[in-house]
């Protein structure tokens, strides 16, 4: 705090004198036909030694603005792929200067189109986030968004709880094109597992967002950006992919297939874009579980084996348009719709070995289950952006609606057998779930430069969410379906969040600071209509953020940051329904869950492409999954509760290596320690902690004859999360090869995930009367083949990106 006060005092005392010494240089880059050239790199060079002072890229109008320049003699250097480089004559700068248009010449005057051939690495570590570039990745082709995330450094997919974790921390906010998904853990993994990786351009991992972002997501934000061509004229990409799961002791029809089309039309003041995808998916999952119970001298050992197969066809359509009313004002609309109908078949075999007074009794339960789950989502967005001037003063406005529909019909047939294999009882049940979610949101953001080195940002946001979950459970008795009144229920959840934020940033020669504060007022109401129970909450929360960057020299930087985050329980976690899983397992929500709050601290150092960071987070009232076991009935209940405290210590190292001109390597090492404590879980205190490591390496090779090769591998060590302990090493080796044809417009790709079949999960739960061991195998090894073709004008032109008003709303609807 003393250091921070010193920095603020320095700003107040010295800011004016700095501003007086600095100048702004503006201009415009055009081609031979005076057409503005976007994305050109403009460098300011000292004269006469031509050392680089600063560089920027031109905007959509070919304009550039370079500030913080001292009085002196300079030269400009302009470069962009497809054009000849150019240097201007030297000029003097003694105040703000607007240069006349600078013309550059294409490499060939007959060349009408310029294709960008540069290839970004699959993993990029930037100062505030990690970026996965999927468009040119071979190993990401033909997979799903969920499978690609599992290849990201530090990301784990927990298939036991359907959670996505970052550095072993749950509470990730998943956003798609800047819009978060108000869905449950299970529903969001379903959505991502049905999203083709061919739709995705980049994935951003943001571990410590600023005050401008919604405060939801204690571990940070994962932002998935879908492909969108940025060239003028008509252009697009069409791709076809197919794949086959290769797993032992699994069904043979684990194939997938998909077709994806991206179209873009940009002419004059209009930019119209669209995307459509049809994909067939199939998964297989085998779970083997052992646990024990003890009640009044009766000791039971249970072994359960579950075989689950799911398949479905999904459709996704996206359409949008931007209208550039002037060089300062843009209007935009966007519509996104997707649907998938997953069909699940599940066979389970439960063996019960009961021992009492030395006598052993064997019994079995065989259950056949199936379900159909049509899921739909419609999102609409209207947005405006207005730039008041070229100095960065701007105002944006977004208005959104998102509607979700999740229906599920489930059927269960259980057969109880004695030790001789004779049936002693049969039960037939069915469940019907109808969940509807509506999200309404609006936000506005203002960016206001105060000087050449200081900026103020502020914004308002309001969101309103209504979820209606109707659940009917019935049992077939005497040939008649009878409602199980103890399970059937109607749950309505409403939530209104109003937020205001402000942030101030200031730059000096060595130091940069950004101070932010976000306030969010939350009013939520959960009502169990059937039970006539209501939980109403009304609270105000403050979320400060602090970012300090210390530029030691051109290649060395140190960054310090702090941020406070929140994870509010989603509707599925609050839903008090009792969901039947099998005769000895049920799942239940908790309407009294409290939100969890996290304080995140980070210090990072970067030297050119190398980076190292130290992180600490402290979470209060962590929302976690707890299992309760009734030894008398042998029934285990999975519920959600608040765990007293969770602490995470981690260190991350990113080391990119250019081995040769044709071999590039990206390496990441994460070491972390998690500790969990609670004064009372199921009647006793709980404390657990463990150190763990995540290793990642990616290698790309440029081969002759337009071939290229990618090989990547990752490894996670045993770890602990809440009451769940992972006991095995998880990892995967992935490889892919690509051939380009027709001037690199046609791409053929072949890849395989988890070649050595090492990606499966083993774990245990050991606390109070729970002693359970689990082994889970899923479709991790898969071969994929894809063909993609780019058509039309592929010239790169800038296109705006935007975050919408539902940024934090869509990731919290359940589980």
């Amino acid at each position: 705090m003393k250091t921070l006060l010193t920095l603020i005092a320095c700003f107040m005392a010295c800011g004016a004198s700095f501003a007086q010494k600095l100048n702004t240089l503006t201009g415009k880059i055009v081609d031979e036909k005076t057409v503005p050239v976007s994305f050109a790199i403009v460098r300011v060079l000292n004269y006469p030694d031509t050392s680089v002072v600063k560089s920027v890229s031109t905007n959509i109008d070919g304009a550039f603005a370079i500030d913080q320049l001292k009085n002196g003699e300079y030269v400009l250097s302009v470069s962009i792929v497809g054009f000849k480089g150019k240097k201007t004559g030297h000029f003097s700068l003694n105040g703000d200067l607007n240069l006349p248009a600078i013309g550059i010449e294409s490499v060939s005057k007959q060349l009408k189109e310029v294709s960008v051939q540069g290839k970004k690495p699959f993993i990029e570590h930037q100062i505030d986030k990690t970026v996965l570039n999927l468009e040119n990745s071979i190993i990401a082709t033909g997979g799903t968004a969920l499978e690609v995330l599992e290849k990201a450094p530090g990301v784990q997919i927990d298939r036991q709880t359907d959670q996505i974790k970052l550095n072993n921390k749950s509470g990730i906010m998943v956003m798609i094109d800047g819009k978060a998904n108000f869905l449950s853990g299970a529903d969001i993994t379903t959505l991502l597992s049905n999203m083709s990786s061919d739709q995705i351009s980049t994935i951003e991992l943001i571990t410590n967002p600023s005050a401008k972002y919604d405060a939801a997501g204690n571990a940070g934000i994962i932002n998935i950006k879908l492909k969108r061509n940025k060239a003028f004229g008509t252009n697009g990409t069409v791709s076809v992919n197919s794949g086959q799961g290769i797993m032992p002791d699994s069904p043979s029809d684990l194939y997938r297939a998909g077709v994806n089309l991206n179209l873009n039309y940009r002419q004059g003041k209009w930019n119209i874009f669209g995307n459509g995808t049809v994909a067939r998916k199939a998964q297989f999952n085998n779970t083997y579980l052992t646990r024990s119970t003890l009640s009044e001298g009766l000791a039971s050992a249970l072994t359960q084996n579950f075989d689950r197969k799911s398949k479905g066809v999904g459709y996704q359509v996206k359409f949008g348009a931007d209208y550039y009313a002037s060089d300062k004002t843009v209007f935009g609309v966007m519509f996104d719709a997707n649907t998938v109908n997953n069909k699940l078949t599940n066979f389970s075999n439960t063996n019960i070995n009961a021992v009492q007074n030395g006598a052993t009794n064997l019994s079995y339960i065989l259950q056949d289950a199936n379900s159909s789950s049509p899921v739909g989502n419609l999102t609409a967005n209207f947005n405006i952006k207005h730039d008041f001037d070229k100095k960065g003063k701007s105002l944006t406005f977004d208005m959104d609606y998102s509607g979700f529909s999740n229906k599920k019909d489930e059927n269960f047939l259980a057969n109880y057998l004695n030790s001789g294999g004779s049936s002693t009882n049969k039960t037939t049940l069915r469940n019907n779930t109808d969940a509807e979610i509506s999200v309404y949101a609006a936000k506005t953001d203002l960016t206001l430069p105060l000087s050449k080195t200081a900026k103020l940002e502020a914004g308002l946001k309001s969101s309103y969410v209504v979820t209606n979950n109707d659940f009917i459970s019935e049992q077939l008795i005497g040939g008649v379906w009878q409602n199980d009144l103890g399970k059937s229920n109607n749950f309505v959840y409403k939530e209104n969040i109003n937020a205001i934020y402000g942030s101030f940033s200031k730059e000096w020669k060595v130091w940069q600071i950004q101070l932010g504060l976000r306030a969010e007022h939350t009013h939520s109401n959960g009502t169990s209509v059937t039970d006539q129970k209501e939980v109403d909450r009304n609270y105000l929360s403050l979320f400060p953020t602090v970012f300090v960057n210390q530029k030691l020299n051109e290649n060395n930087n140190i960054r310090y940051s702090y941020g406070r985050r929140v994870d509010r329980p989603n509707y599925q976690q609050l839903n008090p329904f009792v969901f039947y899983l099998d005769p000895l397992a049920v799942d239940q929500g908790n309407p009294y869950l409290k939100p969890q709050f996290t304080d995140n601290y980070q210090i990072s150092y970067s030297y050119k492409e190398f980076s190292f960071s130290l992180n600490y987070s402290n979470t209060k009232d962590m929302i976690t999954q707890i299992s309760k076991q009734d030894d008398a009935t042998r029934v285990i209940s999975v519920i959600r509760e608040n765990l007293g405290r969770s602490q995470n210590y981690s260190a991350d190292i990113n080391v990119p290596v250019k081995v040769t001109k044709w071999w590039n390597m990206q390496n990441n090492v994460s070491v972390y320690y998690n500790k969990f404590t609670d004064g009372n879980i199921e009647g006793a205190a709980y404390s657990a902690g463990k150190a763990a490591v995540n290793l990642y390496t990616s290698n790309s090779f440029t081969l002759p004859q337009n071939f290229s090769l990618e090989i990547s591998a990752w490894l996670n060590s045993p770890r602990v999360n809440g009451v769940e302990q992972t006991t095995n090493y998880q990892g995967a080796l992935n490889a892919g090869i690509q051939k380009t044809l027709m001037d690199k417009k046609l791409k053929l790709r072949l890849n395989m995930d988890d070649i050595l079949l090492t990606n499966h999960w083993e774990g245990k739960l050991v606390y109070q009367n729970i002693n359970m061991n689990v082994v889970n195998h899923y479709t991790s090894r898969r071969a994929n083949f894809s063909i993609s073709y780019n058509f039309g004008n592929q010239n790169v032109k800038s296109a705006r990106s935007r975050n919408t008003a539902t940024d934090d709303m869509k990731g919290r609807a359940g589980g």
Side-chain angles (χ1 to χ4, degrees):
M1 180 60 72
K2 184 177 180 181
T3 303
L4 184 58
L5 292 174
T6 303
L7 288 173
I8 296 174
C10 181
F11 157 65
M12 296 176 64
C14 307
S17 63
F18 272 106
Q20 293 171 1
K21 298 177 183 178
L22 301 177
N23 309 299
T24 298
L25 180 67
T26 58
K28 190 173 186 178
I29 309 299
V30 298
D31 64 12
E32 306 97 322
K33 298 181 180 180
T34 69
V35 175
V37 179
S38 306
F39 275 176
I41 303 300
V42 181
R43 295 180 175 88
V44 180
L45 312 178
N46 278 316
Y47 181 82
D49 65 8
T50 68
S51 60
V52 177
V53 178
K54 202 168 185 181
S55 64
V56 299
S57 61
T58 56
N59 65 12
I60 189 173
D61 300 313
F64 64 89
I66 307 173
D67 55 13
Q68 303 181 63
L69 296 176
K70 296 180 180 179
N71 293 345
E73 299 288 317
Y74 297 103
V75 172
L76 285 189
S77 167
V78 182
S79 63
I80 185 173
V81 174
F83 289 83
K84 295 179 180 179
K86 180 170 183 177
K87 281 187 179 180
T88 67
H90 75 275
F91 56 89
S92 298
L93 187 66
N94 298 305
D96 292 350
L97 178 63
N98 182 35
L99 295 172
I102 301 171
I104 58 175
E105 184 180 349
S106 61
V107 174
S108 171
K109 292 184 179 180
Q110 287 73 42
L111 185 62
K112 302 298 183 182
E113 299 177 353
V114 179
S115 298
V116 174
Q117 307 297 343
K119 180 180 178 182
K120 293 183 178 180
F122 179 56
I123 305 290
E124 277 189 297
H125 294 282
Q126 300 180 7
I127 188 170
D128 59 342
K129 59 193 172 187
T130 298
V131 180
L132 279 66
N133 296 297
L134 272 64
E135 281 194 274
N136 295 314
S137 173
I138 304 171
I139 58 175
T141 302
T144 68
L146 194 67
E147 292 166 351
V148 171
L149 276 177
E150 196 166 35
K151 297 182 175 75
V155 176
Q156 296 115 30
I157 309 299
D158 187 339
R159 288 177 171 82
Q160 312 310 305
T161 59
D162 287 314
Q163 286 186 326
I164 301 172
K165 299 176 182 177
L166 185 59
N167 292 330
N168 207 36
K169 292 195 299 180
S170 57
I172 284 288
M173 174 56 61
V174 177
M175 299 161 59
I176 299 176
D177 277 339
K179 300 188 296 294
N181 284 273
F182 195 76
L183 294 173
S184 69
D187 292 338
I188 190 64
T189 54
T190 297
L191 175 68
L192 296 180
S193 65
N194 284 287
M195 177 183 289
S196 171
S197 61
D198 293 339
Q199 298 174 251
I200 303 172
S201 173
T202 62
I203 297 178
E204 299 174 340
L205 309 178
I206 309 170
T207 56
N208 207 0
S210 68
K212 186 175 183 178
Y213 290 91
D214 298 278
N218 106 82
I221 293 172
I222 295 177
N223 186 26
I224 300 173
K225 292 187 174 182
L226 302 181
K227 290 180 179 178
R228 178 175 170 186
N229 201 301
K230 304 171 183 178
F232 282 101
T234 302
N235 49 70
T237 302
V238 60
S239 63
V240 180
N241 68 78
S242 64
Q244 175 66 43
I246 307 171
M247 302 288 293
D249 303 318
S250 66
S252 59
D253 65 337
L254 295 178
Y255 70 91
R256 62 170 53 153
V259 179
N260 182 71
L261 175 65
N262 284 282
L263 284 174
N264 187 79
Y265 173 79
R266 187 165 185 178
Q267 194 68 39
K269 295 185 176 183
W270 284 97
N271 182 35
I272 302 172
F273 56 93
N275 174 280
T277 299
V278 180
R280 192 262 191 192
K281 309 294 181 184
Q283 298 282 344
F284 177 73
N285 187 303
N286 172 261
T287 303
Y288 180 77
L289 181 152
T290 63
R291 60 186 176 98
S292 60
T293 64
L294 179 61
S295 175
E296 298 181 356
L298 176 63
S300 301
L302 294 86
T303 61
Q304 295 180 277
N305 191 74
F306 301 87
D307 283 338
R308 291 185 291 271
K309 179 189 172 184
S310 64
K311 61 182 179 180
V313 177
Y315 305 87
Q316 186 268 342
V317 176
K318 182 177 181 178
F319 168 80
D322 293 326
Y323 176 69
Y324 294 82
S326 68
D327 59 350
K328 294 183 178 181
T329 306
V330 185
F331 296 88
V333 294
M334 185 170 62
F335 302 92
D336 190 354
N338 59 75
T339 181
V340 62
N341 188 359
N342 282 317
K343 298 185 181 297
L344 171 70
T345 57
N346 183 3
F347 176 76
S348 64
N349 183 353
T350 301
N351 297 339
I352 305 172
N353 187 358
V355 180
Q356 188 171 32
N357 299 325
T360 300
N361 180 45
L362 294 174
S363 59
Y364 312 93
I365 304 175
L366 306 181
Q367 177 174 273
D368 278 303
N370 63 80
S371 67
S372 176
S373 308
V375 178
N377 167 221
L378 173 65
T379 299
N381 166 261
F382 170 74
N383 60 88
I384 305 172
K385 182 180 181 183
H386 178 72
D387 296 318
F388 292 93
D389 52 41
K390 294 184 179 180
K391 295 181 180 180
K393 183 180 178 181
S394 66
L395 180 69
T396 64
F397 172 77
D398 280 87
M399 185 167 58
D400 286 79
Y401 166 76
S402 292
F404 301 86
S405 174
N406 189 349
K407 302 179 186 295
K408 180 180 289 187
D409 292 316
E410 300 173 289
N411 298 281
F412 306 90
L413 174 61
N415 191 7
Y416 298 74
L417 308 176
N418 59 24
S419 58
S422 300
S423 177
T424 59
N425 186 31
K426 289 184 178 180
T427 59
T428 303
L429 299 92
R430 68 183 184 188
N431 294 336
N432 176 268
T433 305
D434 187 356
E436 301 287 341
I437 308 171
S438 294
V439 182
Y440 308 87
K443 73 168 186 173
T444 183
D445 299 286
L446 172 68
T447 301
L448 181 64
L450 302 178
S451 69
K452 298 174 183 178
T453 60
K455 181 173 65 176
L456 180 68
E457 292 180 287
L460 300 169
K461 179 176 178 181
S462 181
S463 63
Y464 179 67
V465 181
V466 179
T467 69
N468 191 324
N469 196 319
D470 196 6
F471 179 70
I472 299 175
S473 181
E474 298 176 311
Q475 183 171 357
L476 187 64
I477 301 177
V480 179
W481 288 105
Q482 298 187 17
N483 196 342
D484 188 340
L485 299 179
K487 296 177 182 176
S488 298
N489 204 339
N490 179 224
F491 180 68
V492 178
Y493 179 74
K494 299 178 181 180
E495 180 183 83
N496 176 225
I497 300 177
N498 295 300
I500 181 172
Y501 80 89
S503 69
F504 170 77
S505 60
K506 171 68 179 174
E507 296 183 12
W508 292 270
K509 183 176 181 180
V510 175
W511 295 93
Q512 294 174 302
I513 65 168
Q514 184 188 91
L515 308 176
L517 180 64
R518 186 180 186 91
E520 294 188 351
H521 176 264
T522 304
H523 181 205
S524 64
N525 181 280
T527 303
S528 176
V529 178
T530 307
D531 296 339
Q532 296 184 342
K533 294 180 180 179
E534 182 179 2
V535 177
D536 192 88
R537 286 204 170 98
N538 200 324
Y539 55 94
L540 175 68
S541 304
L542 298 179
F543 303 95
T545 57
V546 179
F547 299 91
V548 179
N549 191 69
Q550 182 182 7
K551 186 176 181 180
L552 303 179
N553 54 46
E554 193 66 29
N555 295 320
N556 292 270
N557 283 274
I558 300 177
R559 189 170 188 258
Y560 316 84
S561 66
Y562 163 76
R564 188 170 189 250
R565 310 286 295 168
V566 65
D567 278 294
R568 301 174 182 90
N570 53 57
Y571 91 85
Q572 190 64 31
Q573 293 171 330
L574 295 168
N575 192 340
F577 296 2
V578 177
F579 294 93
Y580 173 93
L581 301 177
D582 68 38
L584 298 178
V586 296
D587 190 295
Q588 185 175 8
N590 179 1
Y592 302 102
L593 275 177
K594 297 180 290 185
Q596 66 177 35
F597 291 89
T598 301
D599 294 286
N600 292 311
Y601 304 82
Q602 183 182 72
I603 178 172
S604 60
Y605 165 76
S606 62
Y607 172 73
K608 293 184 178 180
E609 301 297 324
F610 168 86
S611 65
F612 171 74
S613 66
L614 296 173
N615 312 273
Y616 170 73
S617 68
N618 181 53
T619 301
K620 180 183 178 183
D621 295 323
M622 172 187 167
I623 300 172
T624 191
Q625 184 171 289
I626 302 292
S627 294
K628 294 183 178 182
Q629 181 170 271
D630 186 330
D631 285 340
T633 63
R634 304 189 182 104
V635 173
I636 194 164
S637 301
V638 179
I639 63 172
R640 281 79 186 165
E641 288 189 358
N642 289 107
L643 191 70
R645 186 183 187 190
S646 166
Q647 294 172 279
N648 177 279
Y649 306 81
S650 66
D652 300 283
I653 302 175
N654 303 302
V655 185
V657 179
K658 188 174 181 63
V659 184
T660 67
K661 291 183 178 180
W662 49 270
W663 180 7
N664 286 292
M665 181 186 297
Q666 177 70 50
N667 305 290
N668 177 270
V669 179
S670 298
V671 180
Y672 51 87
Y673 175 79
N674 278 3
K675 184 173 178 60
F676 305 90
T677 55
D678 192 281
N680 183 11
I681 289 186
E682 295 304 293
Y686 178 80
S687 179
K690 190 176 183 64
V693 64
N694 170 268
L695 305 176
Y696 175 87
T697 183
S698 176
N699 298 263
S700 60
F701 305 87
T702 302
L703 306 177
Q705 302 299 316
N706 290 326
F707 278 96
S708 55
L709 176 69
E710 285 184 22
I711 300 175
S712 71
W714 59 269
L715 179 70
N716 291 328
S717 71
R719 54 199 178 274
V720 62
N721 185 64
V723 298
E724 177 187 279
Q725 301 178 49
T726 299
T727 57
N728 70 316
Y729 284 86
Q730 281 182 276
L733 174 66
N734 315 299
I737 189 168
Q738 172 181 279
K739 168 70 173 177
T740 60
L741 302 164
M742 300 174 63
D743 197 24
K744 299 189 177 182
K745 290 183 177 181
L746 180 66
K747 296 178 181 179
L748 309 179
R749 292 169 173 170
L750 177 66
N751 65 65
M752 178 173 282
D753 294 335
D754 194 17
I755 297 172
L756 303 179
L757 203 60
T758 52
N759 182 12
H760 72 281
W761 187 83
E762 298 179 19
K764 63 181 181 180
L765 280 73
V766 181
Y767 60 95
Q768 279 56 289
N769 67 331
I770 300 286
N771 189 348
M772 180 189 304
N773 292 274
V774 183
V775 178
N776 189 5
H777 291 269
Y778 32 84
T779 313
S780 59
R781 183 166 63 186
R782 190 184 297 273
N784 303 289
F785 176 72
S786 73
I787 304 173
S788 65
Y789 177 71
N790 297 325
F791 57 89
N793 181 16
Q794 299 297 317
N795 283 332
V796 173
K797 302 290 182 182
S798 63
R800 68 194 186 112
S801 61
R802 59 179 181 266
N803 291 336
T804 67
T806 53
D807 279 3
D808 72 326
M809 301 312 301
K810 294 201 240 174
R812 292 179 33 244

